[in-house]
Structure formats: C-alpha cells, structure tokens
Amino acid sequence: MSTAFSGSVQIQLCYETHGLYKDDPQDPLPIMFTRLPDGSKQREARKKTVSFSSMPNDRKMNSTAACMAFMMEGCEMKKVRSNSRMYNRYFLLDPDMHWLRWEPSKKDSEKAKLEIKTIKEVRLGKKTPVLRSNGLSDQFPDECAFSIIYGDNYESLDLVASTADVVCTWVMGLRYLVSYGRHMVGVVEPSQPSVRTSWIGSVFELADPERQGHIDLFRATQIIKGLNPGMRESRIELKFKEIQKAKDCYGEGIDLDTFVEAYCELCTRSEIFFLLVQFSSNKEYLDSKDLMLFVEVEQGVEGVTEEMCREIVRRYEPSIEGRNNGYLSIDGFTHYLLSSECHIFDPQHKHVCQDMTQPLSHYYINSSHNASLLEDHYWGSSDLSSYVRVLRMGCRSLEVVVWDGPDCEPVVYVGSSVASQLAFCQVLDVINQYAFESSEFPLILCLVTHCSVPQQRVMAQHMKKILGDKLHSEPPNVEDLYWPSPEKLKGKILIKGKRLPPGSQDSEGEVTDEEEGFEMSRRMLGVDNRDQLNGIGCKRLRLCKELSDLVSLCKSVQFRDFETSKREQKHWEICSFNEVDANRFANEFPEDFVAYNKRFLSRVYPTPMRIDASNMNPQDFWKCGCQIVAMNYQTPGLMMDLNLGWFRQNGNCGYVLRPAIMREEVSYFSANARDSLPGVSAQLLHIKVISGQNLPKPRGSAAKGDVVEPYIYVEIHGIPADCAEQRTKTVSQNGDNPIFDESFEFQINLPELAALRFVVLDDDYIGDEFIGQYTIPFECLLPGYRHVPLQSLTGEFLPNTTLFVHVAITNRRGGGKAHKKGLSVRKGRKAREYTSTKTTGIKVVDELFRASTQPLREATDVRENVQNAMVSFKELCGLTPAANMKQCILTVSSWLMNSERTLHVTLDLSEAYPIMEAQGPVPELLRKVLTAYDTMIQTSRTLIESADGVYSKLTQAQRAGLDFHEDLHRIGAREGLKGRKLQKAMESYAWNITVLKGQADLLKHAKGEALDTLRQIHCAAHSCGLAKNGASTSPASPLLPPHPRPLHTIHENETDNTTLH
C-alpha cells in the first residue's frame, strides 16, 4: 500500500474511533488472576428456544429498496379481527407501490386491498384495542405484532408476523411509503448515488490511487475492518467471495461495485437502519431537525438545539458531503449510537455526585477481604500488587492480617501462604502511596493482629512513621450521636482494631480477641481447645498501649445482641459479623438489623469455610444496611460483578449513600420485604434487548468451532421483592450481530438498592458458557436507545463488544401490581388500594394517625388520577405507558401531516396549562384523543394546585407523630403494653411515620413530574409545529422552570425545588 494511500485512509478512518468503547479511566481496572474458575452459568433446567431468520436467503434489510423488494415478494401473516379471531393471509405490495393486497380472502380481490396513501400511521407492537384484548395478549409476543392505521376514521388493520425481522421490514417499508409515497422516483433503483455510496466510493478511490478499477482482497478486507473494528476478517473475506461467485468473477480483484455491495451488507445494522427511517424526513439520512427530535423524544434530553445536533453530525458523520450539509447517514448514526453519548451509564455518576456530608454509617463502603492474596486461602500466594489493584479499584476498607516475623519484623500473610510473606512495613509503604490515588475519602485499615507485644510495638512505630499525618488520631466526641462524615474525614486512614480500657496507664493489657481473628488462628494452628491459643484463653490476647492508641474511631467490640448494643454501644465502636451469623440476623431479626445499622458500622466477613476464596452475595447484607461487606477481590464471578458495578455509581469513590428509608431515625423497613414498601415509589423498568455486536467465542471453548449461539439473561438484584430474571431466545449461529428483539418488564420496589445485570451466554448442550456481562445500578440507567459494553469474566472490557437495548422507566400505575405483558392496568376509585396507617394500641398516638387518613387518601387519588389519565392518553395515541409526552405529541403531529383531509389542531401555550384545540370536523379517534388530553391536563392541574395543601397536612401529622418518639416506650408501658406487644407498637409507630413521610414525598415527586409533563408539551409543540400562531418561544409560566435541564437530572433535584410547604 502506498504512503499516500495510508495517510488518506487515516483521515477517512479517524471516524472509526468515535463511539467505540474503551476502558473508561474512571472505571475499575480489570482484575488479573492466575486461576480462572468456570464461568459457566448454572441454571435450573428449562426449555431452550432458538430463533431462525425467516428472511429469504438470510437477506439483510440494509436499505429501503431491500424492504420494498421483500414486500413485493410478499409473505404470510395472520390478520387479526376485532372478535379476536386470526386468519392466515398472504400479504404483498403491488409493483407500483400504491396498494397493499392480501389473499386468499372471501372478499372480492378488489376489496382485499389497502391504498398506501390512506395509511395514517404504522404501529409496532400491541398498540390497538384489538391487539391489547385479553383473548390475544398471551398468544404471540409483542415484537411480532404491528398495526396499520388507515382511513379518515382511523381504522386498524392488525397483523401478526412469524418473526420480529419480518415485522421490522414491513413497518420500515410502510413508514417509508407513507412519508414519500408521492415522490417515489428512484426508490428501488436509485438514479444517482446516495451520500453513503458516494463516500464508500471515495474510500475505494483512495485505495486505488492508480485508477486500476480494482484492489486486492487483502486491502479491501483491511479497509472494511478498519472502518468497523471488531468485525472478523474471515467474515469480510467470505462476503467478498460470495458476491464474486454470484457475479461469476471469483478470484479476481475487488471492483467498486463489489466493494460497495459488500460494505453495505456487512456494515449496515438493520435495527439501526429501521430506527433511522423512523425519524428521517430525508429518506436515508437524518438532518439536524430529525436528529433533534430523536435526541429529545427518544433519548430524553431537554434543551437540545440544532447547533448541538450539527455538532453531533460534525463529530460522527464519516462523509465530507454529509458533514458539510449537516446530514447524518446510517454510518454516522451508528457511530453516534455507539459513542459515549449513548452509553447506558449516566455520565453524572462517573464523578462523586452524592451528598458526602452524612454520617459515615449512612454509606455502603467498598471493602476487601484478604487483600494480599492472589488466589484461595490454601494455595494462594501473597503479593503487594494485590493491594495496589484493590485500592485503584476504589476499595476503602482493607484487611491486613499480621503475624510475628523474623528479626522482630512483623509480616503479613493469610492462610497457608507462609512461603510468600510480606513485610508489614512494605505493605504500609504501598498503602501510603496508593491510599488516595482513586478516592480522597477515608480508608479503613482492618488490623487482624496475631503478633506478640514486642512486635506490636514495631507495628505501631511503622504506622506512625510511614503513614504519618494520614493517620486519624483525634478521639471521638462522646457528645456526638453519629460518626463524622466522609467529607470531614477526607485523606485520613482509620485504624480498626482493639483498644485497651479507657484510662489504662499500663504499657500493655488484655483484651478480647475478635471472632474473625480467633476463627482464623484456630484454623491455621489447628487448635480446638481455647486455652491453648496465644498462651491464654483463645478469646483473649495481650495488646500494647502504643498499638491501642492508634485506634480512634473504629474500636472493635464483640456483638452480643441488638438490645445490649442499643443500650451500651458507642457510635464509634464497630462489630464484625461472620456471614453465617449475619445471615441469621437478616432472616430472624431483619427490622432490628436495619435499625442497628442506622447508627453503628457493621462489617461482614466470609466464613472461614470458604477456603476457595469464593464470595458471598453482598446484596444479602446491603439490604440490612450493613456498610462493610468484605469481598475476595481475587475471585471473579456474579458476586464481584455486583460489588464492582454497585460502587461505580458515585464516581467509584468507594462510598455509596444508602437508601433514605435505611437512614432516617424513625422509619420502617424490613430487609426481607417481598412487596412494595410504604412511602417508596415503585418503578417499572422496561428493557428491550434489540441486538448484540461482535460477541466473541467463550475463552477456552473448543466446541462448535467458531460458531456462537448467544442468549441473554436480564437480571434484577436487590431486595427479595425485586429479584427477578428473564432470558431471551437463543440466536442460532450468529455472534456477529444477533437480533433478539425481545422486551421485558420488571417492577422495582426499592430503586435505590437495585442493580441491573446483563449476562451473555453461549448456548451449548454440554454446558452453556460465559461470554460477557455488565452490571449497572438502577439509579445510573439512562433512558432511550443505548449500547451496553460487555466485560469478560476477569473484568476487562471486551473490545467492540456491546448489546443494543432500549430503556424506559415509569411509575407503577394504578397503585396495584405490575400489569401483565401487553396489558395496561388502571384502577378506578373503588378498586384502588390505599396505603393506611396501623394501630399501635396507644390511644393518643392512634388518634393522631387516624386523623391523617383523609389526606392520605387525597394524596393517593390525585396521584393515581393523573397516572390513569396519562395511560389512557398514551394508549389512544397508540403508545405504551412507558412512552413520554413528547412521543405522544409527535404522534398526533404525524397524524395531521399524513391526513388527506385538512385538520387543524393546535396547542395554545399562552395559558399555564396548554390547551389542545381543533378547528372544524375531526375523526372520532382524534376526538377521543382530544378528550383524553383534556382529562390529563385537568387531573394534572388538580394535582399541581392541591399538592401543597395535602403535603402540608401529611408533614404536619408526621411532625406531630415524631413528638412522641422519645417517650413512646414509656407511654406504651404506662398503658400496659410490654414484651412483644410493646415491640409491635413500636414497629407500627415506625410504619406510620414512614407512610406519612413517604406519601408526602410521593406527592411532591408527582407534582414535579406533572410540571415536567407540561414542559414536555411546550417543547414538543414547538418541535412539531403545533404551537398556536407559530409562537417561537414558550410563555413565561410560573409553573415551568425557566432553564430546561437534561431529563435524567429531573428526579430528586427537581422535586426538592418544588414549592411545597
């Protein structure tokens, strides 16, 4: 290849870097291991499903011309009647592309047809009353259904295809015809090259500087691979050979036509092309206005301008012509969707974004167990690099196990790794160097000391000398009730360990050993008799004053029971729990464990029986509020995926603020809750898994050659009520770009403690093998079309390997349980479930809470009336409840544009609550839409205008209830309550306070969402040209915030600024 060509190609190929995932410097470093456990996914036996493409000859829909050709050939689909009966019919498009016909039919052939120009809209999925009917909802998946809305009365032709591929082809082709049916010249056989083919031709010309008209196979392959990193060379070469064979020119050089054809077939992702056609007003590319609609409506971003969209074009469009004219072709659109701008992870969470001024006990803390080990406890060796790795990964709690060493120098090792001892001073040097490289917040050093008193003094000297001012030495304030905050302890190292009794003046003394230290010593030394350990009782050890004095805030104490801790434990004292004991407390005393962790720090460590260094599930203890769950970082798998994914959400600083319901002094929360929680807004997570890209063969797998047959598990991890999983079908023999097109729905009852995990496996009858995974906290999800980068078993990001998904999050509707797939749930007032208070058995307290019954009902009614009205409006627009208001307004606008009759519908934005007006006669469906819109606006108005008053009543009742908090135990005892009855009264009281605060917060949040709906209507009216009198700017309304912000920031911050007193 000539030098001139190399330089030119570099200019053309510079776009290959756009949007391709690299390891984010803020993400944890990959975990390196010397031993790899089996990554297979062990699941219960279940029926496996396999997807086979129904497209003729595996045809790929990479252009509208391909769609038209397929539709002209026709295919069999099921026609659904209003009586829920289905009939097999053969559907095809007329050669003149003016009529859609079906056969056989009892109708006259001239009646079994539909004129293209009468089509108003093409809906994907079950989005008409016929397809949503109970009799059909479970007979076929949502992805295999679509509806054609036609005629002045907006009738529907409801169809079910054999696969989602067929549906996408018909929907894409029909939508194109609806938009461009009146100027269809050159669609099937373009008379002039498109922006895309012109650019591909220019790339070919750069590779053929001598104008020979052909290039060799190797050069052609390298160009396409350079433009599409991750694509296999063997696949590219095979495609060239297939095309040449079809043209009877096998073995010759690659000419321009062959190159263009191969590029288009290999590099066009049909699912993205389908999306482009849906939003394009310029046939096969997006202009800045099209892109603005996509970014606003689908990606949920507000404040988007045409200039911002032109910048996206300049950044991601590969062709010079496209960049100059502001066009985003299919290649540029693909680059954009692969870019960090369309990553599923909210970039705000790549930096510290949570309040760091809360007490330390209000945070989950990233913790490592046996950080020095490279492998398991028996065979693993110790290494200083292990400490570097875990600190760089954001770990804020390190365990250091110290033993007597030679020459009076303490050493660090774990298990049987005596041969690979580390000098304690070397470990301290590493910790001192890397402690605050990845996070400036405090590091807790958990010392497990098995040293004699002389070597303890050496330990103390080393820590003072090496760690110096980083050591936290300020004694705790006995007047305080809670820990200092991470913000206040920035840059400090806290030593967790035993202390001598207060006021002790002796140079050494006797203290109780920690359970963890005792268990480890007994296992290592094989001692069963406690009297033989350390020369004294196994639960006692000698501690020197110098080492004791280094322990300030994290004094280790033994846990007795919750009542004793509540009465005697100081806030700076910390208990360690064996995972077996912690599990028992979580199951038998879930409310007590949560209450304990509101004030005190608890550390959970793995049972010594885990000699293989396997990991416990951190969610089992996070749900109880346990802050420090010690993990074996050297062991990969599900548990470490959850841990590493979870701590990404706050800039990977090692601290994550716990849910509010676990922090508030008076609140009710059970760790084993299996239903919705009082006062917490349950969310519905809608996930559509669309496709995968460049899925590699599992590492070490030799079965099936290079064939990959992937399927995906979508998992929710959180409290028991939220834990769920769903799996896609298996895509046969396609790891390059498998299409799944499957939708799932999950109800999330405690979003603040939920995590979403994608797991990709290779389907094999011998044993399914692990390909990749990605774990993300629920709070970090961005809505819209997103790419998900995949990580290997050992934590590295797999290059150019992604999943393409669509994400939508909505409130649970109607106050009831999540609706069935394909159905909506709306509850009338009679069937509505109201959250109520509980009787405590204390008369004066019960009278107070009883008075709050009416405002609680009012709060539920105004919220759910709005939710029901919005669902009705969205369904009449042919959209799912997961749609946003911009999508609804855009749909109404498209109806008006595609109507043969002149319809005048405008949105009057001069009023605080936008009015949708129609002039002249309108079809029945549109009239229903107008009525539903008016109902939605009126219920929103009622909510916005009444929220302050109801909120005030609820908060007043809550404050009055809190006045009883300190004396509640005494008042209950005075009224004769004791034992279990008194405890039950305390729990009911906490429940009632939680309900009042939670319902007030939900109302506050609902008002913020109603205001956001009005803002979306304003933005969409201008974007779609429906604003009355062509107003260019929205009026200054006292209801709407003056400066729109990105949609994903309008959650807590929005409602916090809402005027509620």
Side-chain angles (χ1 to χ4, degrees):
M1 184 180 294
S2 67
T3 305
F5 170 69
S6 299
S8 301
V9 167
Q10 287 175 5
I11 296 174
Q12 292 291 336
L13 300 191
C14 67
Y15 297 95
E16 76 187 55
T17 61
H18 289 311
L20 300 176
Y21 289 112
K22 302 178 180 64
D23 293 356
D24 193 310
Q26 303 244 9
D27 276 318
L29 295 179
I31 316 171
M32 305 304 294
F33 306 98
T34 56
R35 169 183 57 86
L36 293 181
D38 181 15
S40 301
K41 189 84 169 179
Q42 297 300 325
R43 297 280 179 176
E44 60 196 61
R46 66 177 72 200
K47 184 178 179 181
K48 297 180 180 178
T49 57
V50 181
S51 167
F52 296 97
S53 173
S54 63
M55 310 304 271
N57 302 319
D58 290 326
R59 179 188 301 165
K60 189 171 184 178
M61 295 299 127
N62 54 26
S63 68
T64 48
C67 290
M68 301 304 161
F70 176 79
M71 292 161 64
M72 288 177 190
E73 290 179 16
C75 69
E76 188 176 275
M77 292 187 285
K78 289 181 171 61
K79 184 172 180 284
V80 185
R81 300 289 297 273
S82 57
N83 60 6
S84 297
R85 297 185 65 181
M86 294 190 288
Y87 303 88
N88 288 328
R89 297 288 183 262
Y90 194 88
F91 288 80
L92 70 163
L93 180 68
D94 265 2
D96 61 6
M97 293 179 286
H98 288 162
W99 296 89
L100 172 64
R101 299 181 183 273
W102 56 92
E103 55 189 34
S105 172
K106 294 181 180 179
K107 294 181 180 179
D108 182 88
S109 60
E110 288 303 307
K111 292 183 179 180
K113 65 180 182 179
L114 180 64
E115 192 171 8
I116 298 297
K117 69 179 183 180
T118 66
I119 297 177
K120 311 299 182 187
E121 182 190 1
V122 184
R123 297 180 184 176
L124 182 63
K126 304 172 187 175
K127 294 177 184 172
T128 64
V130 172
L131 293 179
R132 278 196 296 260
S133 65
N134 290 328
L136 291 172
S137 61
D138 296 325
Q139 293 189 28
F140 48 85
D142 191 73
E143 294 76 19
C144 290
F146 71 104
S147 301
I148 301 171
I149 311 301
Y150 66 94
D152 292 336
N153 293 323
Y154 291 79
E155 300 172 74
S156 68
L157 173 60
D158 300 297
L159 303 172
V160 178
S162 57
T163 70
D165 291 337
V166 174
V167 171
C168 286
T169 302
W170 278 97
V171 171
M172 186 177 356
L174 290 172
R175 282 177 175 172
Y176 189 92
L177 289 173
V178 169
S179 298
Y180 311 112
R182 297 180 183 86
H183 40 88
M184 289 297 301
V185 179
V187 169
V188 177
E189 294 296 336
S191 57
Q192 59 184 14
S194 66
V195 172
R196 187 189 200 196
T197 54
S198 296
W199 167 67
I200 300 171
S202 67
V203 173
F204 182 86
E205 290 175 3
L206 289 171
D208 183 25
E210 299 178 3
R211 300 295 187 268
Q212 295 179 353
H214 60 83
I215 57 178
D216 60 68
L217 177 61
F218 175 78
R219 182 176 297 185
T221 301
Q222 292 304 309
I223 293 172
I224 290 184
K225 181 174 174 59
L227 292 169
N228 292 270
M231 188 174 291
R232 292 179 294 112
E233 291 184 18
S234 58
R235 182 186 172 206
I236 302 172
E237 291 179 1
L238 182 61
K239 178 57 65 177
F240 277 127
K241 292 174 181 178
E242 286 177 356
I243 296 173
Q244 286 186 320
K245 185 176 181 180
K247 293 181 177 180
D248 291 328
C249 57
Y250 186 77
E252 300 178 9
I254 307 299
D255 59 22
L256 175 60
D257 290 342
T258 302
F259 184 81
V260 171
E261 184 178 350
Y263 180 89
C264 290
E265 289 195 27
L266 288 167
C267 305
T268 304
R269 286 173 51 185
S270 56
E271 72 276 20
I272 292 182
F273 185 74
F274 174 63
L275 191 59
L276 180 141
V277 170
Q278 184 178 344
F279 278 86
S280 172
S281 59
N282 297 285
K283 298 189 178 180
E284 295 189 9
Y285 56 82
L286 300 173
D287 61 23
S288 56
K289 289 186 178 180
D290 299 331
L291 187 56
M292 187 164 69
L293 273 179
F294 174 78
V295 175
E296 275 191 343
V297 173
E298 285 296 341
Q299 304 301 84
V301 180
E302 288 198 350
V304 182
T305 64
E306 284 195 51
E307 178 54 36
M308 292 167 60
C309 293
R310 283 193 287 269
E311 177 58 31
I312 290 175
V313 173
R314 287 192 289 269
R315 194 177 305 155
Y316 300 109
E317 173 55 37
S319 70
I320 296 174
E321 181 184 353
R323 294 198 298 275
N324 291 340
N325 294 314
Y327 299 154
L328 197 64
S329 67
I330 179 63
D331 299 289
F333 192 40
T334 303
H335 289 159
Y336 167 64
L337 288 173
L338 277 166
S339 75
S340 58
E341 295 185 47
C342 294
H343 195 298
I344 194 173
F345 190 92
D346 186 343
Q348 289 191 349
H349 290 271
K350 290 185 178 181
H351 311 282
V352 176
C353 57
Q354 297 178 347
D355 178 10
M356 301 304 290
T357 62
Q358 300 280 327
L360 196 76
S361 57
H362 286 184
Y363 298 84
Y364 297 115
I365 303 173
N366 197 354
S367 176
S368 168
H369 181 65
N370 294 338
S372 64
L373 285 183
L374 290 175
E375 296 184 55
D376 62 42
H377 294 169
Y378 274 117
W379 306 109
S381 58
S382 299
D383 193 272
L384 288 172
S385 64
S386 301
Y387 289 103
V388 177
R389 185 180 68 251
V390 298
L391 287 170
R392 283 180 166 173
M393 294 169 77
C395 186
R396 294 289 86 195
S397 174
L398 280 181
E399 182 187 54
V400 181
V401 184
V402 192
W403 304 79
D404 279 347
D407 303 324
C408 203
E409 277 294 332
V411 294
V412 174
Y413 65 89
V414 180
S416 301
S417 57
V418 181
S420 58
Q421 301 172 359
L422 305 174
F424 179 63
C425 59
Q426 291 180 325
V427 172
L428 291 179
D429 282 332
V430 169
I431 292 173
N432 181 58
Q433 182 177 351
Y434 294 97
F436 302 106
E437 180 181 287
S438 297
S439 174
E440 59 186 346
F441 295 104
L443 173 67
I444 300 174
L445 214 55
C446 302
L447 288 183
V448 180
T449 306
H450 302 286
C451 293
S452 60
V453 168
Q455 294 213 17
Q456 288 180 23
R457 293 194 175 97
V458 176
M459 287 175 60
Q461 293 168 8
H462 284 327
M463 285 192 283
K464 289 178 182 177
K465 180 180 178 181
I466 297 172
L467 302 180
D469 293 339
K470 292 188 178 78
L471 278 176
H472 183 274
S473 56
E474 184 180 338
N477 186 345
V478 294
E479 301 295 326
D480 292 341
L481 295 177
Y482 290 95
W483 285 73
S485 69
E487 181 69 29
K488 188 175 181 180
L489 295 172
K490 268 184 181 178
K492 291 298 182 181
I493 296 177
L494 311 180
I495 304 299
K496 173 189 172 294
K498 306 299 293 187
R499 274 186 66 93
L500 295 174
S504 174
Q505 299 300 318
D506 296 335
S507 61
E508 61 184 77
E510 194 175 78
V511 294
T512 57
D513 191 6
E514 280 201 76
E515 187 68 23
E516 182 177 6
F518 164 66
E519 287 183 357
M520 188 176 302
S521 299
R522 183 171 59 179
R523 175 165 52 82
M524 287 302 305
L525 301 176
V527 175
D528 292 323
N529 188 332
R530 295 190 171 194
D531 292 336
Q532 296 181 18
L533 184 61
N534 203 22
I536 55 172
C538 71
K539 299 288 285 186
R540 313 292 297 179
L541 62 82
R542 301 294 296 177
L543 180 67
C544 74
K545 190 173 189 303
E546 293 90 335
L547 190 59
S548 169
D549 289 346
L550 293 181
V551 178
S552 56
L553 281 176
C554 296
K555 177 185 176 182
S556 295
V557 296
Q558 285 287 33
F559 179 80
R560 297 182 185 177
D561 55 64
F562 292 114
E563 190 58 40
T564 302
S565 294
K566 183 178 180 180
R567 189 174 59 250
E568 299 178 3
Q569 189 172 338
K570 306 297 187 296
H571 73 265
W572 62 85
E573 295 176 337
I574 177 172
C575 293
S576 291
F577 299 86
N578 180 301
E579 70 168 292
V580 176
D581 293 330
N583 259 319
R584 181 169 59 85
F585 294 142
N587 292 325
E588 296 178 9
F589 311 101
E591 295 89 354
D592 292 332
F593 210 178
V594 171
Y596 172 86
N597 286 318
K598 289 180 182 179
R599 186 179 176 196
F600 306 115
L601 271 184
S602 62
R603 178 175 182 269
V604 181
Y605 59 90
T607 172
M609 297 302 293
R610 293 184 181 272
I611 59 175
D612 60 348
S614 59
N615 276 306
M616 50 193 171
N617 187 342
Q619 284 278 4
D620 290 343
F621 309 105
W622 290 340
K623 70 181 183 183
C624 302
C626 298
Q627 299 89 347
I628 304 175
V629 182
M631 304 293 288
N632 288 306
Y633 269 62
Q634 70 272 28
T635 307
L638 166 62
M639 307 314 173
M640 272 309 299
D641 293 342
L642 292 176
N643 190 76
L644 294 178
W646 181 252
F647 283 101
R648 283 197 187 106
Q649 66 183 288
N650 194 26
N652 202 39
C653 73
Y655 286 83
V656 169
L657 192 62
R658 295 188 305 164
I661 200 170
M662 292 185 179
R663 306 193 310 265
E664 292 155 354
E665 185 176 359
V666 181
S667 63
Y668 178 86
F669 174 74
S670 173
N672 294 325
R674 296 191 176 274
D675 202 349
S676 57
L677 304 172
V680 178
S681 178
Q683 305 283 302
L684 283 179
L685 173 62
H686 310 260
I687 292 283
K688 183 175 185 179
V689 180
I690 303 172
S691 63
Q693 292 74 48
N694 306 315
L695 303 180
K697 187 72 179 170
R699 184 180 298 180
S701 174
K704 303 185 297 185
D706 291 330
V707 173
V708 178
E709 298 186 307
Y711 66 94
I712 299 169
Y713 270 105
V714 184
E715 304 171 346
I716 300 294
H717 297 267
I719 62 173
D722 293 342
C723 292
E725 67 176 28
Q726 300 266 16
R727 68 155 283 177
T728 68
K729 61 182 177 288
T730 297
V731 176
S732 178
Q733 302 186 10
N734 186 354
D736 299 311
N737 187 34
I739 302 296
F740 299 97
D741 246 336
E742 292 192 61
S743 298
F744 306 109
E745 185 177 283
F746 301 93
Q747 178 169 310
I748 313 296
N749 294 286
L750 186 57
E752 292 175 277
L753 199 57
L756 170 67
R757 184 171 185 255
F758 298 94
V759 188
V760 186
L761 301 173
D762 184 15
D763 199 337
D764 194 303
Y765 285 104
I766 299 175
D768 298 347
E769 295 186 271
F770 178 90
I771 293 176
Q773 70 85 32
Y774 186 73
T775 304
I776 177 172
F778 180 87
E779 297 287 292
C780 299
L781 288 171
L782 281 180
Y785 289 94
R786 305 287 170 181
H787 275 93
V788 181
L790 293 179
Q791 294 174 273
S792 70
L793 183 67
T794 52
E796 302 99 335
F797 279 96
L798 298 169
N800 310 302
T801 302
T802 57
L803 299 178
F804 188 43
V805 302
H806 183 269
V807 178
I809 300 170
T810 60
N811 282 341
R812 188 180 69 173
R813 295 173 303 288
K817 301 209 173 189
H819 67 282
K820 292 182 180 179
K821 192 174 180 182
L823 296 175
S824 63
V825 169
R826 291 191 298 276
K827 288 202 171 185
R829 187 164 297 187
K830 291 182 179 179
R832 189 164 289 167
E833 298 173 3
Y834 293 97
T835 303
S836 59
T837 56
K838 294 182 177 181
T839 301
T840 64
I842 303 173
K843 183 177 180 181
V844 64
V845 176
D846 287 338
E847 288 178 355
L848 170 68
F849 288 131
R850 199 175 297 120
S852 65
T853 301
Q854 187 57 34
L856 281 172
R857 292 177 69 91
E858 290 177 18
T860 301
D861 284 338
V862 293
R863 283 192 297 106
E864 298 195 356
N865 288 344
V866 172
Q867 291 175 6
N868 290 343
M870 290 189 71
V871 170
S872 295
F873 178 60
K874 291 174 182 178
E875 288 185 349
L876 284 169
C877 290
L879 300 171
T880 66
N884 58 48
M885 195 50 56
K886 288 183 179 179
Q887 291 169 317
C888 296
I889 303 302
L890 179 64
T891 298
V892 174
S893 173
S894 68
W895 290 354
L896 301 177
M897 287 189 295
N898 295 328
S899 176
E900 289 293 308
R901 296 190 299 182
T902 303
L903 298 175
H904 293 287
V905 176
T906 58
L907 278 162
D908 186 353
L909 305 180
S910 62
E911 301 293 332
Y913 300 93
I915 301 171
M916 187 178 286
E917 302 171 323
Q919 298 177 3
V922 295
E924 180 63 23
L925 176 61
L926 191 54
R927 188 171 301 282
K928 289 181 179 179
V929 168
L930 293 173
T931 302
Y933 174 85
D934 184 62
T935 302
M936 179 187 70
I937 291 296
Q938 292 307 317
T939 55
S940 297
R941 180 173 187 166
T942 301
L943 167 62
I944 292 169
E945 295 179 354
S946 65
D948 287 6
V950 179
Y951 180 88
S952 178
K953 293 176 183 177
L954 293 173
T955 52
Q956 285 175 9
Q958 181 200 356
R959 286 195 294 269
L962 286 172
D963 289 341
F964 290 100
H965 173 51
E966 292 186 1
D967 294 330
L968 189 64
H969 197 281
R970 180 178 56 81
I971 297 172
R974 191 174 62 198
E975 295 203 10
L977 300 179
K978 57 183 179 180
R980 179 57 189 160
K981 287 186 177 180
L982 182 58
Q983 183 182 354
K984 188 69 177 175
M986 301 291 286
E987 290 179 2
S988 297
Y989 168 80
W991 167 279
N992 294 343
I993 294 294
T994 304
V995 165
L996 289 171
K997 183 183 185 305
Q999 291 299 312
D1001 288 344
L1002 290 178
L1003 184 61
K1004 181 179 177 182
H1005 186 68
K1007 179 179 177 180
E1009 288 190 327
L1011 291 171
D1012 184 57
T1013 296
L1014 298 183
R1015 184 178 356 3
Q1016 288 191 45
I1017 293 173
H1018 274 260
C1019 294
H1022 292 303
S1023 300
C1024 302
L1026 293 182
K1028 190 174 183 180
N1029 300 324
S1032 58
T1033 57
S1034 58
S1037 169
L1039 294 175
L1040 301 180
H1043 302 294
R1045 298 190 301 282
L1047 186 64
H1048 54 261
T1049 67
I1050 304 174
H1051 294 300
E1052 281 300 319
N1053 293 338
E1054 183 61 49
T1055 55
D1056 287 345
N1057 295 327
T1058 304
T1059 307
L1060 283 162
H1061 306 287

